[in-house]
Amino acid sequence: MKFRDGQWLVAEGVRVEYAEEVYRITPTASNKGISLLCPTRKVMTRGDTLNLGTVSLDIEAAFDGVISIEATHWQGAVRRGPDFDLFPAGRPDAEARITKTETGTTLTAGSLSATVSGKPHEFNITFHSSDKNGKPLTTLLNRSVGYAYTPATSNPKQLADMRNIKHYTFTQTTLGVGESIHGLGERFGPFNKVGQKVELWNDDGGTSSDQAYKNISFYLSSRGYGVFIDTPERVELEIGSERCCRLQTSVEGQRLKWYIIHGPSPREILSKYSILTGAPGGVPSWSFGLWLSTSFTTSYDEKTVNSFLTGMKARDIPVEVFHFDCFWLKAFQWCDFEFDREMFPDPKGQISRLKADGIVKKVCVWTNPYLGQASAVFAEAAAKGYLLKRKNGDIFQWDLWQTGMGIVDFTNPDACAWFVGCLEKLFDQGIDSIKTDFGERIPFEDVQWFDTSVDPGRMHNFYAFIYNKLVYEALQKRYGKNEAVLFARTATAGNQRFPLTWGGDCESTPEAMAESVRGGLSLGLSGFAFWSVDIGGFEGSPPPWIYKRWVAFGLLCSHSRLHGSNSYRVPWTVDDDDKTEEGCSATLRKWTHLKARLMPYIFSQAQESIKGGLPLSLRAMCIEFPDDPTAWTLDRQFMLGDSLLVAPIFEEDGTVQFYLPQGPWTNFFSGEVIVGSGWHTQTHGFGTLPLFVRPNTLLVLGKEGETRTVYDYTSDVEVRSYFAEDGATMNLVDNQGNSVGKLEMKGSEILGLEQLKGNSTVAVISK
């Protein structure tokens, strides 16, 4: 929200009060920080302290390299939930050191410090590294902390009745010259958020708008720091869009709390962020295989499903997971957790037969927390009080999506248990995974939650957390801690703990594929390790060339799913079953087989991503090359793990431009070496794209011709050396993710080869 009209004027209808000076500094109650009393005008005489508002600014050490800042106007405002589940693995010790000199007061938390200027009548708080260089990261300068009223008030007595007056709290941190801002969830617009207004409010807006399914209140700066905004409520950011040199964060309320996280590298920032909100959850190796969907509004029954899977097997395209989308349920009865028996007379038997025949290993179904009133479960949930209500006691219903639909109230423990019971009935039928769709359109006006202590505005985004947590933990309880996989569309901070997510409803166009790349990059910079996309696009029917280009991109995401809206995504329906090597079936087969070969590398990198809070894929180039200014601008390419560079192709003729950072990079397919840094243009058929191996890499691949996703990642493998120097390593894992050893370059020799089994080979590709 903008509070000013240009640099000089206040916006029409708004009254703004700024913290003008630091009047007093005292220790915080925790003794881990300092509390600043900041009047909204300079206090020159005792009389200036009367009829005056103040802002309290509490600055505390959270843990090494992390400091929290909380701005408060009126301390007596009720603190309503829900709150983010912080430090889920335990809170590290916080050592705070406070020093005072003539120039100011400094709070130090390990590698990060905050210094409050000691000049009289000045408001200036600088966040900087704690080393002798004291590199400044960002600053709260004059008129950067305050509160605002709308409509504007002219007399303090008007605040006796606040029912029709909105109160906002805001802070403005400085943006340095050339600084770029990234993250804030799965955002499909420009990769660098400077110049944008961003509203953190989950909504179902597709991939071609400024709305987002996954609003994550965390951003990462190219200057070596990140910021986590500690509230699930609506947050509005003006990122160089109100004042070009500042990033403004505002919320409607009396308090605003955020954490500044020092890196200086993106890896360190994301690692510390994962301590704060939780590390990404692990996913089983089978989930990295190809997922095939029925698509959304297509017509399908048991015979159709069988034809899809037998057709894929006949074309040597292994399918790891088959997904039943919405119409496994009877129309108007979503989501009642019951197969439509007219289309699927024996679902348990069908699933059992599919698995026994070996044409698919796992089965997933679509669900959501919305209950249409035509379903029997609506009546049951309504009678038991499991649905969200209006303030007058009516069940909250609308005809958006499902007729007379109600929303499961997950603040009610009995409703949670009931919902899990519905899922368990699906597990009993052989369902292995759940697609948790929706959860964005959660009303916040005229609603009454079962838990009366929660604020409906804070529940809107937070619903994504409790919804996906419930389903994920139900899967863990049934199948084991590391075997749970859900396919979620909505998320908020902390949802990275419940993998995985996909990018929502994109069109079947090259522009939408590029939007999806930007969305995946931004979500990865928000602490999410695993991400997928609807291969071919969701809306519309992709022409063969887009389908094939998207297949290449999609099979190099961490997870890969064929899914559409009103058209199938099995390849032979896209190009009239073109049987040539350039056809859709051959293209899908090539890329599915390649991913199978890459599994020893991919699954090893997955474990490292979980430990470090890093995206596996899509991993933004700036994570691996933070000192390369160009890396912070790249939104059409990404890293798969730390060693493979991927540049999707968006042109029908196969032309693609990509950037290689410094060093000799090796084309995975041809072995050609290109020395970076610089931009390059190539033209590719459908069986290749720019896939380059980073110098100083040891790469372990499955054997030539490997088509399985799950196998022994240390037996019959191929070890490749790409300009590997002394100290280069590759961690070996089994197909459960357990570490089983390490390969290491020592001079010209690779140590640890004795850990490999079978007919494993070694090849020096580049030296």
Side-chain angles (χ1 to χ4, degrees):
M1 180 173 179
K2 292 182 179 179
F3 300 110
R4 300 196 69 85
D5 179 3
Q7 189 167 345
W8 312 119
L9 303 177
V10 176
E12 183 178 351
V14 178
R15 174 187 160 197
V16 187
E17 301 283 353
Y18 297 98
E20 294 286 0
E21 67 169 274
V22 177
Y23 181 78
R24 181 184 299 140
I25 301 177
T26 56
T28 58
S30 67
N31 288 318
K32 297 287 187 181
I34 51 178
S35 183
L36 316 182
L37 181 64
C38 307
T40 55
R41 67 170 175 255
K42 296 185 187 299
V43 177
M44 312 305 289
T45 69
R46 286 187 173 184
D48 291 336
T49 63
L50 304 176
N51 299 311
L52 176 66
T54 63
V55 176
S56 299
L57 207 60
D58 292 335
I59 306 174
E60 294 196 316
F63 59 98
D64 186 356
V66 181
I67 288 175
S68 69
I69 302 93
E70 184 170 33
T72 307
H73 178 206
W74 288 341
Q75 299 279 4
V78 175
R79 290 182 179 267
R80 297 194 182 278
D83 297 302
F84 287 129
D85 182 19
L86 300 186
F87 303 105
R91 184 169 190 151
D93 291 334
E95 294 187 10
R97 182 164 54 91
I98 301 171
T99 55
K100 188 172 183 179
T101 66
E102 291 182 358
T103 58
T105 301
T106 298
L107 168 68
T108 298
S111 68
L112 177 64
S113 293
T115 296
V116 182
S117 172
K119 292 183 179 179
H121 309 297
E122 182 175 72
F123 188 93
N124 185 315
I125 305 166
T126 301
F127 300 94
H128 57 90
S129 64
S130 302
D131 56 26
K132 61 181 180 181
N133 296 321
K135 178 185 175 181
L137 303 172
T138 190
T139 306
L140 291 169
L141 290 174
N142 64 304
R143 296 198 160 190
S144 63
V145 175
Y147 54 89
Y149 297 109
T150 181
T153 58
S154 57
N155 185 321
K157 291 174 69 175
Q158 292 174 262
L159 303 181
D161 184 354
M162 294 286 292
R163 288 175 294 180
N164 295 313
I165 299 174
K166 291 186 177 181
H167 178 286
Y168 294 88
T169 303
F170 64 85
T171 62
Q172 290 182 347
T173 52
T174 55
L175 289 169
V177 176
E179 181 174 358
S180 58
I181 298 295
H182 307 270
L184 294 170
E186 185 186 58
R187 316 208 77 84
F188 304 103
F191 180 49
N192 177 8
K193 305 303 182 284
V194 173
Q196 298 181 52
K197 173 183 177 177
V198 175
E199 187 176 90
L200 302 181
W201 188 251
N202 285 356
D203 216 334
D204 175 10
T207 69
S208 289
S209 75
D210 61 353
Q211 295 179 1
Y213 304 102
K214 308 170 188 67
N215 286 273
I216 312 300
S217 53
F218 169 79
Y219 62 82
L220 190 148
S221 165
S222 60
R223 284 180 66 87
Y225 70 93
V227 168
F228 169 61
I229 305 158
D230 184 17
T231 177
E233 66 196 295
R234 186 196 302 266
V235 178
E236 295 181 278
L237 298 108
E238 299 286 349
I239 308 173
S241 50
E242 177 171 295
R243 290 198 64 179
C244 297
C245 57
R246 292 188 180 181
L247 191 162
Q248 176 176 280
T249 304
S250 64
V251 296
E252 185 181 347
Q254 297 289 339
R255 300 181 183 88
L256 173 59
K257 183 175 182 179
W258 45 273
Y259 292 78
I260 182 167
I261 305 169
H262 179 236
S265 74
R267 279 177 170 264
E268 292 169 291
I269 296 167
L270 289 170
S271 176
K272 291 173 184 176
Y273 174 70
S274 74
I275 293 172
L276 195 57
T277 62
V283 286
S285 53
W286 57 260
S287 70
F288 291 85
L290 183 63
W291 295 51
L292 174 63
S293 165
T294 58
S295 291
F296 170 30
T297 61
T298 53
S299 178
Y300 58 89
D301 55 14
E302 180 172 349
K303 183 179 178 181
T304 311
V305 171
N306 291 344
S307 72
F308 284 171
L309 290 170
T310 55
M312 295 288 271
K313 183 176 182 179
R315 291 163 176 81
D316 193 22
I317 306 171
V319 175
E320 197 76 33
V321 185
F322 188 81
H323 169 69
F324 290 86
D325 214 56
C326 309
F327 279 96
W328 68 279
L329 303 158
K330 192 179 287 290
F332 290 107
Q333 295 184 198
W334 302 351
C335 173
D336 67 356
F337 307 96
E338 294 286 343
F339 274 87
D340 181 348
R341 293 307 176 104
E342 292 181 12
M343 309 300 282
F344 304 100
D346 179 21
K348 184 174 182 179
Q350 180 191 359
I351 293 168
S352 178
R353 290 188 292 272
L354 290 174
K355 293 179 180 180
D357 291 343
I359 56 177
V360 73
K361 293 181 181 177
K362 305 290 183 179
V363 173
C364 175
V365 293
W366 174 95
T367 64
N368 67 81
Y370 306 155
L371 308 183
Q373 68 179 13
S375 66
V377 294
F378 177 91
E380 178 185 0
K384 294 181 177 179
Y386 296 161
L387 300 179
L388 179 63
K389 293 183 178 180
R390 297 186 184 273
K391 289 181 178 178
N392 67 0
D394 291 348
I395 290 172
F396 184 95
Q397 291 181 268
W398 54 16
D399 294 331
L400 183 65
W401 181 244
Q402 288 290 287
T403 301
M405 152 195 127
I407 300 171
V408 179
D409 184 345
F410 290 125
T411 71
N412 183 342
D414 291 337
C416 292
W418 172 81
F419 195 85
V420 169
C422 295
L423 296 176
E424 288 174 340
K425 293 177 182 177
L426 295 176
F427 302 156
D428 291 341
Q429 295 182 75
I431 302 303
D432 306 281
S433 180
I434 300 292
K435 175 180 172 180
T436 51
D437 204 354
F438 288 93
E440 302 95 357
R441 291 173 176 164
I442 304 302
F444 63 100
E445 295 177 321
D446 190 27
V447 294
Q448 180 61 63
W449 293 89
F450 176 84
D451 181 351
T452 58
S453 70
V454 304
D455 180 338
R458 295 169 73 91
M459 273 299 300
H460 173 86
N461 285 348
F462 195 73
Y463 191 87
F465 182 87
I466 56 178
Y467 166 35
N468 286 295
K469 181 176 187 285
L470 184 74
V471 178
Y472 187 71
E473 290 180 347
L475 285 162
Q476 284 185 316
K477 182 179 178 182
R478 172 59 66 99
Y479 296 115
K481 179 181 177 182
N482 296 318
E483 286 293 309
V485 184
L486 52 78
F487 237 91
R489 190 174 72 174
T490 187
T492 189
N495 269 81
Q496 68 270 12
R497 293 159 51 187
F498 320 123
L500 57 105
T501 60
W502 99 97
D505 298 346
C506 47
E507 296 174 324
S508 298
T509 65
E511 293 81 10
M513 184 162 69
E515 291 165 6
S516 295
V517 172
R518 295 193 297 270
L521 291 171
S522 293
L523 190 67
L525 287 173
S526 305
F528 284 67
F530 307 110
W531 181 85
S532 184
V533 65
D534 290 344
I535 295 176
F538 178 74
E539 298 287 356
S541 300
W545 78 266
I546 290 178
Y547 179 90
K548 289 182 282 189
R549 295 300 181 196
W550 212 312
V551 160
F553 160 48
L555 266 297
L556 293 173
C557 297
S558 77
H559 289 76
S560 309
R561 183 180 67 157
L562 293 164
H563 182 61
S565 178
N566 57 5
S567 59
Y568 300 130
R569 290 293 178 267
V570 285
W572 57 90
T573 64
V574 178
D575 63 0
D576 295 325
D577 201 13
D578 181 350
K579 292 182 170 58
T580 69
E581 283 302 300
E582 290 289 286
C584 289
S585 293
T587 300
L588 180 59
R589 178 170 59 249
K590 290 173 187 175
W591 290 100
T592 305
H593 289 189
L594 173 62
K595 190 169 191 183
R597 285 202 73 198
L598 288 171
M599 276 303 296
Y601 167 76
I602 289 174
F603 206 48
S604 173
Q605 287 288 303
Q607 313 317 310
E608 298 303 313
S609 295
I610 293 165
K611 292 176 186 176
L614 297 170
L616 171 61
S617 177
L618 310 183
R619 181 177 297 182
M621 299 292 294
C622 58
I623 292 178
E624 295 298 326
F625 306 96
D627 297 326
D628 185 336
T630 302
W632 291 91
T633 70
L634 299 173
D635 63 358
R636 287 173 290 158
Q637 63 186 71
F638 55 90
M639 298 294 289
L640 169 53
D642 58 26
S643 295
L644 295 180
L645 183 153
V646 182
I649 299 172
F650 305 100
E651 300 292 338
E652 185 171 4
D653 66 1
T655 302
V656 57
Q657 287 185 315
F658 59 95
Y659 177 82
L660 294 177
Q662 188 173 9
W665 291 78
T666 307
N667 185 310
F668 177 86
F669 298 105
S670 69
E672 175 192 10
V673 175
I674 300 179
V675 178
S677 59
W679 285 92
H680 303 272
T681 301
Q682 293 180 347
T683 301
H684 287 258
F686 294 111
T688 62
L689 53 60
L691 178 62
F692 281 85
V693 185
R694 185 178 186 174
N696 201 32
T697 291
L698 291 176
L699 188 64
V700 178
L701 303 171
K703 65 178 182 294
E704 189 72 42
E706 182 61 75
T707 63
R708 299 168 297 171
T709 303
V710 183
Y711 53 92
D712 187 338
Y713 300 145
T714 62
S715 182
D716 299 325
V717 296
E718 178 185 355
V719 180
R720 292 185 180 182
S721 171
Y722 294 88
F723 294 101
E725 299 176 355
D726 199 50
T729 62
M730 165 74 185
N731 291 321
L732 303 173
V733 299
D734 62 20
N735 58 33
Q736 300 300 307
N738 301 308
S739 178
V740 295
K742 181 173 71 173
L743 302 181
E744 182 174 2
M745 200 74 187
K746 190 73 171 178
S748 59
E749 182 183 1
I750 301 176
L751 303 181
L753 293 174
E754 71 281 355
Q755 299 166 100
L756 303 178
K757 304 185 288 289
N759 187 28
S760 296
T761 62
V762 178
V764 178
I765 305 299
S766 305
K767 65 178 179 178

